[in-house]
Amino acid sequence: MAPSSRPFWTVPPKRLAGAATIALLLGMAPLLSGTATASPTRPSPCSNDPTARLSTVPAPETVLGFPLGAGQERVVTNDEVRTYLGAVDSASARVVTGVMATSVLGQPLPYAVVSNERHVRPAALRKIADDVRDLRDPRRTSARTADRTAKDSPAIVWVTANVHGGEKSGTDAALKTLYELAAGLSCEVERRNENLVTIIVPTQNPDGRDATRRQNEFGFDMNRDWFARTQQETDGKLELLRRYPPQVFIDAHEMGGRQYFFPPNADPIHHEIAGEAVDWINRIGEANKAGFGFNGACDDSVTTECYFNYDTYDMFFMGYGDTVPTTGFGAAGMTYEKGSASAVADRVQQQFHTQWSTLGWAAANKREVLTGYFDIWTDALAQGRAGTLEPNEVVQPTNEVQFPVPDIKIRSYFLLPDRQLADVRQLVERLRRMDVEVYQVQKPTRVPTARVFGGRTATNVTVPKGAYWIPMDQPQKHWIQAIMGEDPYTPFPYFYDVSSWSNPLLMGVSTIYTGDNVRPKAELVRGISGGRGSLAWPWGSYTYPLDSAAAAEFTFRLLGRGVPLVRDLKTSRVAIPATKLSRTVDELAESFGVTLTPGGRPTGTSLALPDVGLFQGTGISTTSGSHGEARYVLGKRWGLDLTPVTTADINDNTEAFTGRTVLLVPDGSSATGGLTAAGQANLRDWIAQGHTYVGLRNEGTRVARAAGLTSTTEKTKPADYLVIGSHLRVDVDTDSPVALGRPAEDFEFNNSDPILNPSTTGTNVLSYPTGDTFWANGYTVGEDALKGTAAVVDEPTGAGRAVLFAFNPLFRAYNENGLHLVANALLYPAGASDARRSAEIDPARANAAAAPVTPDLGGGWRPITVEVAAADLPRAQAIVERFATDAQTSAKGTSAYVVIPNPQGLQVDEHPFAKDLVRALRDAKVPLRSVVG
């Protein structure tokens, strides 16, 4: 099964043994300004003076005009980052630099590789990376070879910063770390450079840094983008990680206040994270404590310029800059957070102290780390062969596992080719680009017992030829389960992100898994399949099913090129005239995984490129959320020209509004979008002329309701209602054009979205089942409130319609089945005017418009919800009132719930007081049953 040549593997770290030496701890003392040594060569022996440095390597103040850390008064700019990297590269034989990606606005994302002069020579650096990658595959690397690598090779450590553009101090500290490694002559520097190759990425988000904005130019939080790799900055970084796989990975951030966080982490920790990595992370935490300086540990009397652990920052969701390096690469992936209210000098110096201490620990323990690194992959192979999953564990001393991993075996996943094949192939490519081995089945295979995604089981399932097989007995077993798993099996109910990201569910592709030891006849996939298989007659066509997000993107790209297309509204197949199939179009189809099948003369309904207006009026944030997701998906990926439409444009009936064929209203905070009665009438008239309104989540559905476009109303959520970024089964009205190409049962993602009572005046395209087929994964409480409610509604008005999504189908651009539904809404076929649905408001819709507006407590995200025992509510309430005066309380059964509005839709790691509130509750010994932010 192992490839014959070295794959482009990523490497993770393994168990470390022993405490740091006294010399290491001394080496963690802060390096400030010091004496420069004239000689350009390294003296031998090394110096015991921690301030001894090469004079030929420029100090930060020489290039930037100011020091980094102590004495620093402002942060560096992107231009200064690049200038200083170039200056150090030119002057130091220990440094080589490169560019890992380009930002949305075209800025380079530079990196530096620093080690001793021998290690950074091109041939030596390639060998180090190859040897470390080989540790990741015990099938081709013997224990003796692994031991030799651990003894002779340096470990690879990454120092990254500024994935959130406004969190800037980690960048400056990374440049200071670079200088010390490039110029230092001390024995501590020599030890680090001898035992480590350090990859320094000063900024992961230069556009956000320029704008002092958390998100990138498309409004994406790139610390949620790691598994999906939708953003070009993330994608380039992951390719560099595959080139230089880490054993230790630092992701430097900022938070509110004047304190500092470094691990040990808060719970939950994903069960597939190897125990060795958790051990290293916790021991690095001890080294950071020793090297932190300033005011030491935070306590009741020390509350600023101090550190804390075991709080706020978990390791659960597979989109973070700590979980993915840890699970996908086997590294000790760590988030470091410095309070942004501190002075610049303190912020940078503290970030430098933790970076320097971490490097010191890794250097002192590098042989143990590399040995353990090999063990991680050896264990993964053994677990995969046995079909065993890692158990759930907790790291916080006061917590206990509340939800264990079930006692099941998983030896194989199968992606079935019966539908959504292009998205299946995109998932295969996503897995392969994380070094997962995927095979295509060459002969039908019987699986005696299978689990079908959605909580069902089956026996004697025949896996057909063409299916994709993902065996678990391979080194990336941990990553496969973390990304493919039907449920993440949270051990402890604390969340500040989502509780499900199962890739088959996100894509809605047909998937089974089994603990049976099946070995189908299969071939290793080495590239994506698709494109033309055989020739059509010149008068004929090439057809493909428009049943997936990938096929939808291909369709829009063809329409943008002027290729004429027709769609069969019964089968959802699209036909391309054979004469229009150029080599470029064929290659484009292959890149999307779309198979083109020869057919007869093109017949069907013509498809036209929609002219989309993107609403950016009252209540809409244009720098984050679904507005940015729309700019990215519809604009960049689908190539559509998006015209901004304001509240005034609709109220005044301007050309910017009336000239569009589609209006997309993203999620936001306003129930009316600021539309006047005249504006609402204008909107109804415009739709009645044959146009399409697409409304997303809160604001998108509420603006439509206020304008008299829907009879749906919002159902009040129960007191204990918690649906934390989970997947649920939905029934699909396959007769609706919005659902063309979807199966009769599908899955959709719900993140505490509004609950819509069914429409009586339109089509309920997606609905949550009422009976035994209702199913949810992730962490959900009170989810039965969704039964029988609508997730997508198609409301006709005249010749047009409003298509309303209760959820955000564009969520992070990785909700592929939602993307497909949006594409269908944009390509909705023109129809005759429906006399029953004129531009006048009928009674059911008028009643819905007049209904009280449900408070939007979560903004574009979720409110903060704290669950305690009912008897503890008075104490909890008293503490909450120190932070917020608008909290709402309720009780159900033995639990009480405190809900704190979050109108800006901030997540816990960016919220001004959420983490302090949780700490205050814990300090007051209030037992927390769950915390959701």
Side-chain angles (χ1 to χ4, degrees), residues 589-616:
E590 182 180 15
S591 72
F592 285 115
V594 174
T595 295
L596 303 177
T597 304
R601 297 187 186 278
T603 59
T605 301
S606 294
L607 295 179
L609 200 66
D611 186 340
V612 180
L614 180 58
F615 186 65
Q616 57 182 48

PDB file of all heavy atoms in Angstrom, residues 589-616:
ATOM      1  N   ALA A 589     -13.226  21.189 -16.663  1.00  0.00           N
ATOM      2  CA  ALA A 589     -14.103  20.141 -16.137  1.00  0.00           C
ATOM      3  C   ALA A 589     -13.313  19.148 -15.292  1.00  0.00           C
ATOM      4  O   ALA A 589     -13.753  18.754 -14.196  1.00  0.00           O
ATOM      5  CB  ALA A 589     -14.805  19.419 -17.282  1.00  0.00           C
ATOM      6  N   GLU A 590     -12.164  18.751 -15.771  1.00  0.00           N
ATOM      7  CA  GLU A 590     -11.338  17.815 -15.010  1.00  0.00           C
ATOM      8  C   GLU A 590     -10.936  18.407 -13.668  1.00  0.00           C
ATOM      9  O   GLU A 590     -10.964  17.722 -12.638  1.00  0.00           O
ATOM     10  CB  GLU A 590     -10.097  17.434 -15.810  1.00  0.00           C
ATOM     11  CG  GLU A 590      -9.219  16.421 -15.090  1.00  0.00           C
ATOM     12  CD  GLU A 590      -7.990  16.049 -15.894  1.00  0.00           C
ATOM     13  OE1 GLU A 590      -7.655  16.754 -16.861  1.00  0.00           O
ATOM     14  OE2 GLU A 590      -7.339  15.045 -15.537  1.00  0.00           O
ATOM     15  N   SER A 591     -10.560  19.680 -13.644  1.00  0.00           N
ATOM     16  CA  SER A 591     -10.119  20.295 -12.389  1.00  0.00           C
ATOM     17  C   SER A 591     -11.229  20.331 -11.355  1.00  0.00           C
ATOM     18  O   SER A 591     -10.961  20.317 -10.149  1.00  0.00           O
ATOM     19  CB  SER A 591      -9.602  21.707 -12.659  1.00  0.00           C
ATOM     20  OG  SER A 591     -10.660  22.603 -12.975  1.00  0.00           O
ATOM     21  N   PHE A 592     -12.480  20.371 -11.797  1.00  0.00           N
ATOM     22  CA  PHE A 592     -13.608  20.370 -10.871  1.00  0.00           C
ATOM     23  C   PHE A 592     -14.125  18.954 -10.586  1.00  0.00           C
ATOM     24  O   PHE A 592     -15.058  18.793  -9.800  1.00  0.00           O
ATOM     25  CB  PHE A 592     -14.745  21.229 -11.414  1.00  0.00           C
ATOM     26  CG  PHE A 592     -14.491  22.708 -11.296  1.00  0.00           C
ATOM     27  CD1 PHE A 592     -14.345  23.490 -12.425  1.00  0.00           C
ATOM     28  CD2 PHE A 592     -14.390  23.309 -10.054  1.00  0.00           C
ATOM     29  CE1 PHE A 592     -14.102  24.842 -12.320  1.00  0.00           C
ATOM     30  CE2 PHE A 592     -14.152  24.670  -9.940  1.00  0.00           C
ATOM     31  CZ  PHE A 592     -14.000  25.437 -11.066  1.00  0.00           C
ATOM     32  N   GLY A 593     -13.549  17.962 -11.233  1.00  0.00           N
ATOM     33  CA  GLY A 593     -14.030  16.597 -11.031  1.00  0.00           C
ATOM     34  C   GLY A 593     -15.337  16.316 -11.739  1.00  0.00           C
ATOM     35  O   GLY A 593     -16.056  15.378 -11.367  1.00  0.00           O
ATOM     36  N   VAL A 594     -15.650  17.079 -12.776  1.00  0.00           N
ATOM     37  CA  VAL A 594     -16.906  16.929 -13.511  1.00  0.00           C
ATOM     38  C   VAL A 594     -16.664  16.050 -14.734  1.00  0.00           C
ATOM     39  O   VAL A 594     -15.829  16.376 -15.587  1.00  0.00           O
ATOM     40  CB  VAL A 594     -17.462  18.306 -13.944  1.00  0.00           C
ATOM     41  CG1 VAL A 594     -18.692  18.129 -14.833  1.00  0.00           C
ATOM     42  CG2 VAL A 594     -17.797  19.148 -12.718  1.00  0.00           C
ATOM     43  N   THR A 595     -17.388  14.944 -14.816  1.00  0.00           N
ATOM     44  CA  THR A 595     -17.279  14.055 -15.968  1.00  0.00           C
ATOM     45  C   THR A 595     -18.234  14.503 -17.062  1.00  0.00           C
ATOM     46  O   THR A 595     -19.420  14.734 -16.803  1.00  0.00           O
ATOM     47  CB  THR A 595     -17.609  12.613 -15.565  1.00  0.00           C
ATOM     48  OG1 THR A 595     -16.612  12.166 -14.636  1.00  0.00           O
ATOM     49  CG2 THR A 595     -17.625  11.690 -16.773  1.00  0.00           C
ATOM     50  N   LEU A 596     -17.730  14.650 -18.272  1.00  0.00           N
ATOM     51  CA  LEU A 596     -18.525  15.049 -19.431  1.00  0.00           C
ATOM     52  C   LEU A 596     -18.856  13.816 -20.255  1.00  0.00           C
ATOM     53  O   LEU A 596     -17.963  13.101 -20.721  1.00  0.00           O
ATOM     54  CB  LEU A 596     -17.750  16.067 -20.274  1.00  0.00           C
ATOM     55  CG  LEU A 596     -17.310  17.339 -19.530  1.00  0.00           C
ATOM     56  CD1 LEU A 596     -16.494  18.241 -20.455  1.00  0.00           C
ATOM     57  CD2 LEU A 596     -18.517  18.099 -18.998  1.00  0.00           C
ATOM     58  N   THR A 597     -20.154  13.573 -20.442  1.00  0.00           N
ATOM     59  CA  THR A 597     -20.633  12.386 -21.132  1.00  0.00           C
ATOM     60  C   THR A 597     -21.207  12.763 -22.490  1.00  0.00           C
ATOM     61  O   THR A 597     -22.016  13.699 -22.581  1.00  0.00           O
ATOM     62  CB  THR A 597     -21.731  11.692 -20.303  1.00  0.00           C
ATOM     63  OG1 THR A 597     -21.205  11.397 -19.001  1.00  0.00           O
ATOM     64  CG2 THR A 597     -22.204  10.414 -20.971  1.00  0.00           C
ATOM     65  N   PRO A 598     -20.812  12.086 -23.579  1.00  0.00           N
ATOM     66  CA  PRO A 598     -21.389  12.401 -24.885  1.00  0.00           C
ATOM     67  C   PRO A 598     -22.905  12.212 -24.895  1.00  0.00           C
ATOM     68  O   PRO A 598     -23.430  11.261 -24.296  1.00  0.00           O
ATOM     69  CB  PRO A 598     -20.701  11.414 -25.827  1.00  0.00           C
ATOM     70  CG  PRO A 598     -19.455  11.007 -25.116  1.00  0.00           C
ATOM     71  CD  PRO A 598     -19.786  11.043 -23.663  1.00  0.00           C
ATOM     72  N   GLY A 599     -23.609  13.131 -25.540  1.00  0.00           N
ATOM     73  CA  GLY A 599     -25.063  13.062 -25.617  1.00  0.00           C
ATOM     74  C   GLY A 599     -25.565  13.511 -26.970  1.00  0.00           C
ATOM     75  O   GLY A 599     -24.788  13.850 -27.869  1.00  0.00           O
ATOM     76  N   GLY A 600     -26.891  13.553 -27.099  1.00  0.00           N
ATOM     77  CA  GLY A 600     -27.508  13.981 -28.346  1.00  0.00           C
ATOM     78  C   GLY A 600     -27.548  15.491 -28.471  1.00  0.00           C
ATOM     79  O   GLY A 600     -26.783  16.213 -27.830  1.00  0.00           O
ATOM     80  N   ARG A 601     -28.476  15.961 -29.293  1.00  0.00           N
ATOM     81  CA  ARG A 601     -28.588  17.405 -29.480  1.00  0.00           C
ATOM     82  C   ARG A 601     -28.949  18.063 -28.143  1.00  0.00           C
ATOM     83  O   ARG A 601     -29.771  17.543 -27.392  1.00  0.00           O
ATOM     84  CB  ARG A 601     -29.649  17.728 -30.531  1.00  0.00           C
ATOM     85  CG  ARG A 601     -29.311  17.192 -31.920  1.00  0.00           C
ATOM     86  CD  ARG A 601     -30.311  17.678 -32.962  1.00  0.00           C
ATOM     87  NE  ARG A 601     -30.054  17.048 -34.247  1.00  0.00           N
ATOM     88  CZ  ARG A 601     -29.128  17.475 -35.107  1.00  0.00           C
ATOM     89  NH1 ARG A 601     -28.397  18.527 -34.821  1.00  0.00           N
ATOM     90  NH2 ARG A 601     -28.948  16.837 -36.256  1.00  0.00           N
ATOM     91  N   PRO A 602     -28.354  19.220 -27.859  1.00  0.00           N
ATOM     92  CA  PRO A 602     -28.637  19.892 -26.589  1.00  0.00           C
ATOM     93  C   PRO A 602     -30.108  20.291 -26.499  1.00  0.00           C
ATOM     94  O   PRO A 602     -30.631  20.971 -27.384  1.00  0.00           O
ATOM     95  CB  PRO A 602     -27.735  21.130 -26.618  1.00  0.00           C
ATOM     96  CG  PRO A 602     -26.719  20.873 -27.690  1.00  0.00           C
ATOM     97  CD  PRO A 602     -27.370  19.961 -28.680  1.00  0.00           C
ATOM     98  N   THR A 603     -30.793  19.860 -25.456  1.00  0.00           N
ATOM     99  CA  THR A 603     -32.181  20.242 -25.228  1.00  0.00           C
ATOM    100  C   THR A 603     -32.351  20.580 -23.755  1.00  0.00           C
ATOM    101  O   THR A 603     -31.685  20.014 -22.888  1.00  0.00           O
ATOM    102  CB  THR A 603     -33.149  19.105 -25.595  1.00  0.00           C
ATOM    103  OG1 THR A 603     -32.838  17.945 -24.807  1.00  0.00           O
ATOM    104  CG2 THR A 603     -33.072  18.757 -27.073  1.00  0.00           C
ATOM    105  N   GLY A 604     -33.268  21.485 -23.496  1.00  0.00           N
ATOM    106  CA  GLY A 604     -33.538  21.867 -22.120  1.00  0.00           C
ATOM    107  C   GLY A 604     -33.757  23.364 -21.996  1.00  0.00           C
ATOM    108  O   GLY A 604     -33.907  24.090 -22.995  1.00  0.00           O
ATOM    109  N   THR A 605     -33.769  23.838 -20.781  1.00  0.00           N
ATOM    110  CA  THR A 605     -33.986  25.252 -20.479  1.00  0.00           C
ATOM    111  C   THR A 605     -32.654  25.977 -20.482  1.00  0.00           C
ATOM    112  O   THR A 605     -31.697  25.552 -19.827  1.00  0.00           O
ATOM    113  CB  THR A 605     -34.658  25.402 -19.105  1.00  0.00           C
ATOM    114  OG1 THR A 605     -35.902  24.708 -19.118  1.00  0.00           O
ATOM    115  CG2 THR A 605     -34.889  26.862 -18.771  1.00  0.00           C
ATOM    116  N   SER A 606     -32.574  27.072 -21.224  1.00  0.00           N
ATOM    117  CA  SER A 606     -31.328  27.829 -21.311  1.00  0.00           C
ATOM    118  C   SER A 606     -30.946  28.399 -19.950  1.00  0.00           C
ATOM    119  O   SER A 606     -31.796  28.856 -19.183  1.00  0.00           O
ATOM    120  CB  SER A 606     -31.473  28.971 -22.317  1.00  0.00           C
ATOM    121  OG  SER A 606     -31.639  28.466 -23.621  1.00  0.00           O
ATOM    122  N   LEU A 607     -29.668  28.365 -19.674  1.00  0.00           N
ATOM    123  CA  LEU A 607     -29.138  28.971 -18.462  1.00  0.00           C
ATOM    124  C   LEU A 607     -28.504  30.310 -18.797  1.00  0.00           C
ATOM    125  O   LEU A 607     -27.819  30.442 -19.821  1.00  0.00           O
ATOM    126  CB  LEU A 607     -28.094  28.058 -17.810  1.00  0.00           C
ATOM    127  CG  LEU A 607     -28.598  26.720 -17.268  1.00  0.00           C
ATOM    128  CD1 LEU A 607     -27.434  25.920 -16.689  1.00  0.00           C
ATOM    129  CD2 LEU A 607     -29.669  26.932 -16.211  1.00  0.00           C
ATOM    130  N   ALA A 608     -28.734  31.278 -17.944  1.00  0.00           N
ATOM    131  CA  ALA A 608     -28.181  32.612 -18.154  1.00  0.00           C
ATOM    132  C   ALA A 608     -27.385  33.020 -16.929  1.00  0.00           C
ATOM    133  O   ALA A 608     -27.720  32.654 -15.796  1.00  0.00           O
ATOM    134  CB  ALA A 608     -29.300  33.624 -18.415  1.00  0.00           C
ATOM    135  N   LEU A 609     -26.336  33.777 -17.167  1.00  0.00           N
ATOM    136  CA  LEU A 609     -25.518  34.282 -16.074  1.00  0.00           C
ATOM    137  C   LEU A 609     -26.327  35.286 -15.273  1.00  0.00           C
ATOM    138  O   LEU A 609     -26.805  36.278 -15.817  1.00  0.00           O
ATOM    139  CB  LEU A 609     -24.254  34.937 -16.632  1.00  0.00           C
ATOM    140  CG  LEU A 609     -23.069  35.107 -15.683  1.00  0.00           C
ATOM    141  CD1 LEU A 609     -22.504  33.751 -15.275  1.00  0.00           C
ATOM    142  CD2 LEU A 609     -21.988  35.945 -16.347  1.00  0.00           C
ATOM    143  N   PRO A 610     -26.528  35.062 -13.975  1.00  0.00           N
ATOM    144  CA  PRO A 610     -27.326  36.006 -13.194  1.00  0.00           C
ATOM    145  C   PRO A 610     -26.587  37.320 -12.980  1.00  0.00           C
ATOM    146  O   PRO A 610     -25.357  37.354 -12.897  1.00  0.00           O
ATOM    147  CB  PRO A 610     -27.538  35.268 -11.871  1.00  0.00           C
ATOM    148  CG  PRO A 610     -26.390  34.333 -11.764  1.00  0.00           C
ATOM    149  CD  PRO A 610     -26.065  33.923 -13.178  1.00  0.00           C
ATOM    150  N   ASP A 611     -27.338  38.388 -12.904  1.00  0.00           N
ATOM    151  CA  ASP A 611     -26.805  39.715 -12.604  1.00  0.00           C
ATOM    152  C   ASP A 611     -27.155  39.996 -11.142  1.00  0.00           C
ATOM    153  O   ASP A 611     -28.278  40.344 -10.807  1.00  0.00           O
ATOM    154  CB  ASP A 611     -27.443  40.758 -13.530  1.00  0.00           C
ATOM    155  CG  ASP A 611     -26.817  42.134 -13.374  1.00  0.00           C
ATOM    156  OD1 ASP A 611     -26.178  42.384 -12.339  1.00  0.00           O
ATOM    157  OD2 ASP A 611     -26.995  42.968 -14.279  1.00  0.00           O
ATOM    158  N   VAL A 612     -26.175  39.809 -10.262  1.00  0.00           N
ATOM    159  CA  VAL A 612     -26.449  39.747  -8.828  1.00  0.00           C
ATOM    160  C   VAL A 612     -26.157  41.081  -8.157  1.00  0.00           C
ATOM    161  O   VAL A 612     -25.072  41.659  -8.308  1.00  0.00           O
ATOM    162  CB  VAL A 612     -25.619  38.637  -8.163  1.00  0.00           C
ATOM    163  CG1 VAL A 612     -25.907  38.565  -6.664  1.00  0.00           C
ATOM    164  CG2 VAL A 612     -25.902  37.290  -8.826  1.00  0.00           C
ATOM    165  N   GLY A 613     -27.139  41.544  -7.407  1.00  0.00           N
ATOM    166  CA  GLY A 613     -26.925  42.658  -6.496  1.00  0.00           C
ATOM    167  C   GLY A 613     -26.674  42.121  -5.100  1.00  0.00           C
ATOM    168  O   GLY A 613     -27.391  41.237  -4.625  1.00  0.00           O
ATOM    169  N   LEU A 614     -25.640  42.632  -4.423  1.00  0.00           N
ATOM    170  CA  LEU A 614     -25.299  42.190  -3.062  1.00  0.00           C
ATOM    171  C   LEU A 614     -25.664  43.305  -2.099  1.00  0.00           C
ATOM    172  O   LEU A 614     -25.090  44.396  -2.139  1.00  0.00           O
ATOM    173  CB  LEU A 614     -23.811  41.853  -2.975  1.00  0.00           C
ATOM    174  CG  LEU A 614     -23.304  41.375  -1.609  1.00  0.00           C
ATOM    175  CD1 LEU A 614     -24.049  40.129  -1.156  1.00  0.00           C
ATOM    176  CD2 LEU A 614     -21.797  41.112  -1.668  1.00  0.00           C
ATOM    177  N   PHE A 615     -26.624  43.029  -1.242  1.00  0.00           N
ATOM    178  CA  PHE A 615     -27.133  44.048  -0.323  1.00  0.00           C
ATOM    179  C   PHE A 615     -26.084  44.376   0.727  1.00  0.00           C
ATOM    180  O   PHE A 615     -25.516  43.494   1.365  1.00  0.00           O
ATOM    181  CB  PHE A 615     -28.404  43.538   0.344  1.00  0.00           C
ATOM    182  CG  PHE A 615     -29.093  44.563   1.210  1.00  0.00           C
ATOM    183  CD1 PHE A 615     -29.636  45.704   0.645  1.00  0.00           C
ATOM    184  CD2 PHE A 615     -29.199  44.375   2.577  1.00  0.00           C
ATOM    185  CE1 PHE A 615     -30.283  46.643   1.432  1.00  0.00           C
ATOM    186  CE2 PHE A 615     -29.844  45.306   3.372  1.00  0.00           C
ATOM    187  CZ  PHE A 615     -30.380  46.452   2.803  1.00  0.00           C
ATOM    188  N   GLN A 616     -25.828  45.659   0.885  1.00  0.00           N
ATOM    189  CA  GLN A 616     -24.918  46.112   1.934  1.00  0.00           C
ATOM    190  C   GLN A 616     -25.515  47.328   2.645  1.00  0.00           C
ATOM    191  O   GLN A 616     -24.831  48.303   2.942  1.00  0.00           O
ATOM    192  CB  GLN A 616     -23.533  46.415   1.378  1.00  0.00           C
ATOM    193  CG  GLN A 616     -23.459  47.443   0.266  1.00  0.00           C
ATOM    194  CD  GLN A 616     -22.030  47.610  -0.238  1.00  0.00           C
ATOM    195  OE1 GLN A 616     -21.325  46.628  -0.513  1.00  0.00           O
ATOM    196  NE2 GLN A 616     -21.593  48.855  -0.350  1.00  0.00           N
TER     197      GLN A 616
END
